[in-house]
Amino acid sequence: IKKVNWIPKHVEEIAEVASKAFECPMSFQELAQETAYGVIGTDHIEKVQIEEDDDIPKFVAIKTKTRFEEKVIKFRLPERAVQASFQPKKTKVLVKGKPCGKFFG
């Protein structure tokens, strides 16, 4: 979030960005229901479950305890968003735009 200087104002913005990145329409409810933990905002030490718009400021307010000061939003993609043959860290992905981070499936 810090690298791209983007903070979502609504939970649906998270789904919009994921939909655009993977060229597959999806809703926030779909992302939240994909696994038991749903959508998580984390600095890799502390975690905040994001279920509604009011949870986003709680996530942003976390004081990072790592030297990288990195905050990420984690969720599991629906199976239709990636190919069945996709293997994390092995499959090459063609993307456009300015590199700002890595995707590790």
Side-chain angles (χ1 to χ4, degrees):
I1 287 182
K2 189 172 184 175
K3 283 185 181 179
V4 294
N5 201 19
W6 173 74
I7 298 172
K9 291 177 180 43
H10 307 286
V11 291
E12 280 302 324
E13 283 184 54
I14 298 168
E16 287 172 18
V17 170
S19 296
K20 186 177 177 184
F22 290 92
E23 296 180 346
C24 178
M26 55 189 93
S27 68
F28 182 79
Q29 285 73 27
E30 187 176 14
L31 296 177
Q33 294 173 353
E34 199 61 33
T35 60
Y37 63 82
V39 178
I40 301 287
T42 182
D43 67 347
H44 301 291
I45 294 176
E46 195 171 335
K47 297 177 180 170
V48 173
Q49 187 148 6
I50 300 174
E51 296 174 339
E52 54 190 33
D53 293 343
D54 295 338
D55 296 330
I56 295 172
K58 293 176 194 171
F59 162 59
V60 173
I62 293 175
K63 298 250 185 199
T64 56
K65 296 173 180 102
T66 63
R67 64 184 173 106
F68 302 112
E69 295 185 18
E70 181 179 62
K71 291 184 181 180
V72 295
I73 297 175
K74 294 177 143 185
F75 53 86
R76 186 174 190 98
L77 287 169
E79 287 185 22
R80 62 185 169 74
V82 291
Q83 298 175 352
S85 63
F86 179 79
Q87 295 177 331
K89 300 183 185 178
K90 303 231 187 286
T91 307
K92 301 290 183 194
V93 179
L94 179 64
V95 296
K96 297 189 292 184
K98 179 183 167 197
C100 63
K102 294 182 179 181
F103 171 70
F104 288 114

